[in-house]
Amino acid sequence: MAEYTILFGVALLLDIIITFRASRLWTRYSHYFPFCCSYPVTHNVPIEVVPEGEENENDDEKQSLVMEEGEAKTDKNNDEQSNARYSLLLRNYLIVYLLATFSDWLQGAYVYALYDAYDYPQHLIAVLFVAGFGSSMVFGSFVGGMADWGGRRRFVVIFSMIYAASCLTKHFRNFHVLMLGRLLGGIATSLLFSVFEAWLIRAHANAKVMDKLSSSFSTTGFGNSVIAILAGLVSNKAASHGKLRPWDASLDTKEGMFFVDGYLNPFDIALLALICCGICATFLWEENYGESGGKENAENSPKWYDGLKRAYKTTIRNRDILLCGLVSSLFEGSMYIFVFMWTPAMQNLAKKEEGLGEDDSVELPYGLIFSTFMVCCMTGSSLFSIVAERMKGEALAVVVFAVSSVAMSLVIVSSNSNVTFIAMNIFEICVGMYFPVMGTMKGMIVPEDQRAAIYNLYRIPLNFIVVSSLLAHLTATQGFVAVTIMLVTATFLQLALARRRLNVSSLADVATQLSSDDDSSHIE
């Protein structure tokens, strides 16, 4: 069996090193690590001594120096104001966003366990899961467009209400009520992965800090990984507090309709987090729209499907937007399949190494494995901050997808649990880098007035991939083969996108593209 504890320690140490290198502390203490950095050479310039009685009569030069000093002070003041606006924006965003993701992470590990505890057979549980992804694919596709003209902050509050209602439905041991909860959860998930990001990008444009967008996505990804670990610990503790039971203690477990405690405790904590999320968004966020949002009069008010219709036309007509959507759907689809498949894959390897049969059970430290994955995601987010200073986002994305493809190929061919687990963690590092890379690219490529609508349009093929994989009943090996194929395809599509965006013709030219300060937003 794999040395999970040792590998977790290695992953944690690597994360600490890379996070330190990406932080502001590095600039303060980097002189202690001369082998890791280079310094500009400081030459000792001799001081010119002016003989007594000799004066510089060049008044114009003196005046020029004074003006330059004044301009430098003005630039410094502008930078300080810009940094203050950015810090406030990022703080307010993270408070709301991390509450939302905290609620989502709390629920993830216990949805299946709760349905199983309600004694539903596996085929009905599969129906509930498919309904959730199907809801996200169908309803979420036009809800995002409504957010562009209805207001992104308003729809974040609506997200909180919808997801909170989904949490409440989990208390009912009734298939139809649980189905309603899955439908609501699918809509909420679409809003979580579109409206929040759309608000963030627009807020950066309004605050005139678009140059810090990549840093924001990196910080957000890192924070999301920390929150995932925290949510795992909290939900594990909460779920073990009490046993799932009917509200009416006189009823038998099979007779009860409304249940409390046990696996429902994480959902109740998520409900509180969502209430806080909606309240914080109301008071901390300013409303923002797509460019045409909030301007329509009563006669020209948009229909509910107009956002989706316009987003579809824009995506089909603009090859960059189309390629970006295909790439994100393929990578995120592979990510979901990985989530479904890593457990049976590691179980099968453990059984082979211990000489057990297929029907035998094996115990794995799932909490430790999940924590290792999340630490690697944090590492990827920090690594992005470092590499993004040297490479264009489009070129970096090609590397991320290529490395992911190699890692998943290694999972397929490996028969050693240590090697397989290391390959999986390399993939998780790529996942950590993917979100800030893709967030930055979408911020530049997707037009502002249709941002939320197009983001939800991107989720249609993603949800189709997930639903198809659930209905296909893939084995672990088949699942990872599908993941590898999707990642290789995403790599070539991203290469095509990078060539278009960077105006180069070869892979070598893409790889040598360095970052510059001329990246501009697609806010129009």
Short mmCIF file of all heavy atoms in Angstrom, two decimals, residues 178-216:
data_model
loop_
_atom_site.label_atom_id
_atom_site.label_comp_id
_atom_site.label_asym_id
_atom_site.label_seq_id
_atom_site.Cartn_x
_atom_site.Cartn_y
_atom_site.Cartn_z
N LEU A 178 -36.24 15.19 -2.44
CA LEU A 178 -34.80 15.11 -2.69
C LEU A 178 -34.48 15.44 -4.15
O LEU A 178 -33.45 16.07 -4.44
CB LEU A 178 -34.28 13.71 -2.35
CG LEU A 178 -34.33 13.33 -0.86
CD1 LEU A 178 -33.93 11.87 -0.68
CD2 LEU A 178 -33.41 14.23 -0.04
N MET A 179 -35.35 15.04 -5.06
CA MET A 179 -35.17 15.39 -6.47
C MET A 179 -35.24 16.89 -6.67
O MET A 179 -34.43 17.48 -7.40
CB MET A 179 -36.23 14.69 -7.33
CG MET A 179 -36.20 15.06 -8.80
SD MET A 179 -34.67 14.56 -9.62
CE MET A 179 -34.93 12.78 -9.75
N LEU A 180 -36.20 17.54 -6.00
CA LEU A 180 -36.29 18.99 -6.06
C LEU A 180 -35.00 19.63 -5.54
O LEU A 180 -34.49 20.60 -6.12
CB LEU A 180 -37.48 19.47 -5.22
CG LEU A 180 -37.63 20.99 -5.07
CD1 LEU A 180 -37.85 21.65 -6.43
CD2 LEU A 180 -38.77 21.34 -4.11
N GLY A 181 -34.46 19.06 -4.47
CA GLY A 181 -33.21 19.57 -3.92
C GLY A 181 -32.06 19.45 -4.90
O GLY A 181 -31.21 20.36 -5.01
N ARG A 182 -32.00 18.34 -5.64
CA ARG A 182 -30.94 18.17 -6.63
C ARG A 182 -31.10 19.16 -7.79
O ARG A 182 -30.11 19.70 -8.29
CB ARG A 182 -30.96 16.74 -7.18
CG ARG A 182 -30.48 15.70 -6.20
CD ARG A 182 -29.03 15.90 -5.81
NE ARG A 182 -28.12 15.77 -6.95
CZ ARG A 182 -26.83 16.06 -6.91
NH1 ARG A 182 -26.29 16.55 -5.80
NH2 ARG A 182 -26.07 15.90 -7.97
N LEU A 183 -32.33 19.42 -8.20
CA LEU A 183 -32.57 20.40 -9.27
C LEU A 183 -32.13 21.79 -8.82
O LEU A 183 -31.48 22.53 -9.57
CB LEU A 183 -34.04 20.40 -9.66
CG LEU A 183 -34.58 19.09 -10.27
CD1 LEU A 183 -36.08 19.20 -10.53
CD2 LEU A 183 -33.85 18.75 -11.56
N LEU A 184 -32.49 22.16 -7.59
CA LEU A 184 -32.08 23.46 -7.06
C LEU A 184 -30.56 23.53 -6.91
O LEU A 184 -29.93 24.55 -7.21
CB LEU A 184 -32.74 23.71 -5.70
CG LEU A 184 -34.26 23.90 -5.70
CD1 LEU A 184 -34.79 23.98 -4.27
CD2 LEU A 184 -34.66 25.14 -6.48
N GLY A 185 -29.96 22.42 -6.47
CA GLY A 185 -28.51 22.38 -6.31
C GLY A 185 -27.78 22.55 -7.64
O GLY A 185 -26.72 23.18 -7.71
N GLY A 186 -28.34 21.98 -8.71
CA GLY A 186 -27.74 22.13 -10.03
C GLY A 186 -27.73 23.57 -10.50
O GLY A 186 -26.75 24.06 -11.06
N ILE A 187 -28.85 24.27 -10.27
CA ILE A 187 -28.93 25.69 -10.64
C ILE A 187 -27.92 26.49 -9.83
O ILE A 187 -27.20 27.35 -10.34
CB ILE A 187 -30.35 26.23 -10.42
CG1 ILE A 187 -31.35 25.49 -11.32
CG2 ILE A 187 -30.42 27.73 -10.67
CD1 ILE A 187 -32.80 25.81 -11.03
N ALA A 188 -27.87 26.21 -8.51
CA ALA A 188 -26.95 26.94 -7.63
C ALA A 188 -25.50 26.72 -8.04
O ALA A 188 -24.68 27.66 -8.01
CB ALA A 188 -27.17 26.49 -6.18
N THR A 189 -25.17 25.50 -8.42
CA THR A 189 -23.79 25.20 -8.84
C THR A 189 -23.40 26.00 -10.07
O THR A 189 -22.27 26.51 -10.17
CB THR A 189 -23.63 23.69 -9.11
OG1 THR A 189 -23.96 22.96 -7.93
CG2 THR A 189 -22.21 23.37 -9.52
N SER A 190 -24.33 26.14 -11.02
CA SER A 190 -24.06 26.94 -12.21
C SER A 190 -23.79 28.39 -11.84
O SER A 190 -22.88 29.02 -12.39
CB SER A 190 -25.25 26.87 -13.17
OG SER A 190 -25.30 25.62 -13.82
N LEU A 191 -24.56 28.92 -10.91
CA LEU A 191 -24.34 30.30 -10.47
C LEU A 191 -23.00 30.44 -9.74
O LEU A 191 -22.29 31.43 -9.92
CB LEU A 191 -25.48 30.75 -9.56
CG LEU A 191 -26.84 30.92 -10.24
CD1 LEU A 191 -27.93 31.20 -9.21
CD2 LEU A 191 -26.80 32.06 -11.25
N LEU A 192 -22.65 29.45 -8.93
CA LEU A 192 -21.40 29.50 -8.17
C LEU A 192 -20.19 29.59 -9.09
O LEU A 192 -19.24 30.31 -8.81
CB LEU A 192 -21.29 28.26 -7.27
CG LEU A 192 -19.98 28.07 -6.50
CD1 LEU A 192 -19.74 29.24 -5.55
CD2 LEU A 192 -20.00 26.75 -5.73
N PHE A 193 -20.23 28.86 -10.20
CA PHE A 193 -19.08 28.81 -11.10
C PHE A 193 -19.15 29.80 -12.25
O PHE A 193 -18.39 29.68 -13.22
CB PHE A 193 -18.90 27.39 -11.64
CG PHE A 193 -18.43 26.42 -10.60
CD1 PHE A 193 -19.31 25.52 -10.02
CD2 PHE A 193 -17.12 26.41 -10.17
CE1 PHE A 193 -18.89 24.62 -9.04
CE2 PHE A 193 -16.69 25.53 -9.19
CZ PHE A 193 -17.58 24.63 -8.63
N SER A 194 -20.04 30.78 -12.17
CA SER A 194 -20.12 31.77 -13.24
C SER A 194 -20.30 33.18 -12.71
O SER A 194 -19.52 34.08 -13.03
CB SER A 194 -21.27 31.42 -14.20
OG SER A 194 -22.52 31.41 -13.51
N VAL A 195 -21.32 33.40 -11.87
CA VAL A 195 -21.67 34.76 -11.46
C VAL A 195 -20.60 35.37 -10.57
O VAL A 195 -20.26 36.55 -10.69
CB VAL A 195 -23.04 34.76 -10.74
CG1 VAL A 195 -23.38 36.15 -10.24
CG2 VAL A 195 -24.12 34.27 -11.69
N PHE A 196 -20.03 34.57 -9.66
CA PHE A 196 -18.99 35.09 -8.77
C PHE A 196 -17.79 35.60 -9.58
O PHE A 196 -17.27 36.70 -9.34
CB PHE A 196 -18.54 34.00 -7.79
CG PHE A 196 -19.52 33.74 -6.69
CD1 PHE A 196 -20.62 32.93 -6.90
CD2 PHE A 196 -19.34 34.30 -5.43
CE1 PHE A 196 -21.53 32.68 -5.89
CE2 PHE A 196 -20.23 34.06 -4.41
CZ PHE A 196 -21.34 33.24 -4.63
N GLU A 197 -17.33 34.80 -10.52
CA GLU A 197 -16.17 35.18 -11.32
C GLU A 197 -16.48 36.37 -12.20
O GLU A 197 -15.63 37.26 -12.38
CB GLU A 197 -15.74 33.98 -12.17
CG GLU A 197 -14.40 34.14 -12.84
CD GLU A 197 -13.92 32.85 -13.49
OE1 GLU A 197 -13.94 31.80 -12.82
OE2 GLU A 197 -13.55 32.92 -14.68
N ALA A 198 -17.71 36.41 -12.76
CA ALA A 198 -18.10 37.55 -13.59
C ALA A 198 -18.11 38.84 -12.77
O ALA A 198 -17.66 39.89 -13.24
CB ALA A 198 -19.48 37.30 -14.19
N TRP A 199 -18.61 38.77 -11.53
CA TRP A 199 -18.61 39.95 -10.66
C TRP A 199 -17.18 40.40 -10.38
O TRP A 199 -16.88 41.60 -10.41
CB TRP A 199 -19.32 39.64 -9.34
CG TRP A 199 -19.43 40.84 -8.45
CD1 TRP A 199 -20.46 41.72 -8.37
CD2 TRP A 199 -18.43 41.31 -7.51
NE1 TRP A 199 -20.19 42.71 -7.46
CE2 TRP A 199 -18.95 42.49 -6.93
CE3 TRP A 199 -17.17 40.88 -7.14
CZ2 TRP A 199 -18.23 43.22 -5.97
CZ3 TRP A 199 -16.46 41.60 -6.19
CH2 TRP A 199 -16.98 42.75 -5.61
N LEU A 200 -16.30 39.47 -10.11
CA LEU A 200 -14.91 39.79 -9.76
C LEU A 200 -14.21 40.51 -10.89
O LEU A 200 -13.54 41.53 -10.68
CB LEU A 200 -14.16 38.50 -9.40
CG LEU A 200 -12.67 38.67 -9.06
CD1 LEU A 200 -12.49 39.48 -7.79
CD2 LEU A 200 -12.00 37.31 -8.92
N ILE A 201 -14.36 40.02 -12.10
CA ILE A 201 -13.68 40.63 -13.24
C ILE A 201 -14.20 42.04 -13.49
O ILE A 201 -13.44 42.98 -13.71
CB ILE A 201 -13.84 39.75 -14.49
CG1 ILE A 201 -13.13 38.40 -14.29
CG2 ILE A 201 -13.30 40.45 -15.73
CD1 ILE A 201 -13.40 37.39 -15.37
N ARG A 202 -15.52 42.20 -13.42
CA ARG A 202 -16.11 43.52 -13.63
C ARG A 202 -15.68 44.49 -12.52
O ARG A 202 -15.39 45.67 -12.78
CB ARG A 202 -17.63 43.42 -13.66
CG ARG A 202 -18.32 44.74 -13.96
CD ARG A 202 -17.95 45.22 -15.35
NE ARG A 202 -18.46 46.54 -15.63
CZ ARG A 202 -18.27 47.18 -16.77
NH1 ARG A 202 -17.57 46.61 -17.73
NH2 ARG A 202 -18.75 48.39 -16.96
N ALA A 203 -15.62 44.00 -11.30
CA ALA A 203 -15.19 44.84 -10.18
C ALA A 203 -13.75 45.31 -10.36
O ALA A 203 -13.41 46.45 -10.03
CB ALA A 203 -15.35 44.08 -8.86
N HIS A 204 -12.89 44.44 -10.90
CA HIS A 204 -11.50 44.84 -11.18
C HIS A 204 -11.48 45.94 -12.24
O HIS A 204 -10.68 46.89 -12.13
CB HIS A 204 -10.69 43.64 -11.67
CG HIS A 204 -10.11 42.81 -10.58
ND1 HIS A 204 -10.88 42.06 -9.72
CD2 HIS A 204 -8.82 42.61 -10.17
CE1 HIS A 204 -10.09 41.43 -8.85
NE2 HIS A 204 -8.84 41.75 -9.10
N ALA A 205 -12.32 45.81 -13.26
CA ALA A 205 -12.36 46.84 -14.30
C ALA A 205 -12.86 48.16 -13.74
O ALA A 205 -12.31 49.23 -14.04
CB ALA A 205 -13.26 46.38 -15.45
N ASN A 206 -13.89 48.11 -12.91
CA ASN A 206 -14.44 49.35 -12.33
C ASN A 206 -13.43 50.02 -11.41
O ASN A 206 -13.37 51.25 -11.33
CB ASN A 206 -15.72 49.03 -11.54
CG ASN A 206 -16.86 48.62 -12.45
OD1 ASN A 206 -16.83 48.85 -13.66
ND2 ASN A 206 -17.89 48.00 -11.89
N ALA A 207 -12.64 49.22 -10.68
CA ALA A 207 -11.64 49.77 -9.76
C ALA A 207 -10.33 50.12 -10.45
O ALA A 207 -9.40 50.60 -9.80
CB ALA A 207 -11.39 48.79 -8.62
N LYS A 208 -10.25 49.83 -11.77
CA LYS A 208 -9.04 50.10 -12.57
C LYS A 208 -7.82 49.36 -12.01
O LYS A 208 -6.73 49.92 -11.88
CB LYS A 208 -8.76 51.60 -12.63
CG LYS A 208 -9.85 52.38 -13.37
CD LYS A 208 -9.54 53.86 -13.42
CE LYS A 208 -10.53 54.60 -14.30
NZ LYS A 208 -11.94 54.39 -13.90
N VAL A 209 -8.03 48.08 -11.69
CA VAL A 209 -6.93 47.23 -11.20
C VAL A 209 -6.89 45.92 -11.98
O VAL A 209 -6.59 44.87 -11.42
CB VAL A 209 -7.06 46.97 -9.67
CG1 VAL A 209 -6.79 48.22 -8.87
CG2 VAL A 209 -8.44 46.40 -9.33
N MET A 210 -7.18 45.99 -13.27
CA MET A 210 -7.19 44.78 -14.08
C MET A 210 -5.83 44.10 -14.13
O MET A 210 -5.73 42.90 -14.38
CB MET A 210 -7.66 45.10 -15.50
CG MET A 210 -9.17 45.26 -15.64
SD MET A 210 -10.09 43.78 -15.19
CE MET A 210 -9.58 42.64 -16.46
N ASP A 211 -4.74 44.86 -13.90
CA ASP A 211 -3.41 44.27 -13.92
C ASP A 211 -3.20 43.30 -12.77
O ASP A 211 -2.25 42.51 -12.78
CB ASP A 211 -2.34 45.37 -13.88
CG ASP A 211 -2.48 46.26 -12.64
OD1 ASP A 211 -3.61 46.67 -12.33
OD2 ASP A 211 -1.45 46.53 -12.00
N LYS A 212 -4.08 43.34 -11.77
CA LYS A 212 -3.95 42.46 -10.62
C LYS A 212 -4.93 41.27 -10.68
O LYS A 212 -5.08 40.53 -9.71
CB LYS A 212 -4.19 43.24 -9.33
CG LYS A 212 -3.22 44.40 -9.13
CD LYS A 212 -3.45 45.10 -7.80
CE LYS A 212 -2.58 46.34 -7.66
NZ LYS A 212 -1.14 46.03 -7.73
N LEU A 213 -5.58 41.08 -11.82
CA LEU A 213 -6.58 40.02 -11.93
C LEU A 213 -5.97 38.63 -11.75
O LEU A 213 -6.54 37.78 -11.05
CB LEU A 213 -7.28 40.11 -13.29
CG LEU A 213 -8.44 39.14 -13.53
CD1 LEU A 213 -9.55 39.37 -12.51
CD2 LEU A 213 -8.98 39.28 -14.95
N SER A 214 -4.81 38.39 -12.35
CA SER A 214 -4.16 37.08 -12.21
C SER A 214 -3.83 36.79 -10.75
O SER A 214 -4.03 35.67 -10.27
CB SER A 214 -2.87 37.04 -13.04
OG SER A 214 -3.15 37.12 -14.41
N SER A 215 -3.36 37.80 -10.04
CA SER A 215 -3.05 37.63 -8.62
C SER A 215 -4.31 37.29 -7.82
O SER A 215 -4.27 36.47 -6.91
CB SER A 215 -2.41 38.91 -8.08
OG SER A 215 -2.17 38.82 -6.69
N SER A 216 -5.42 37.91 -8.19
CA SER A 216 -6.68 37.64 -7.50
C SER A 216 -7.12 36.20 -7.69
O SER A 216 -7.55 35.54 -6.74
CB SER A 216 -7.78 38.58 -8.01
OG SER A 216 -7.49 39.91 -7.70
#
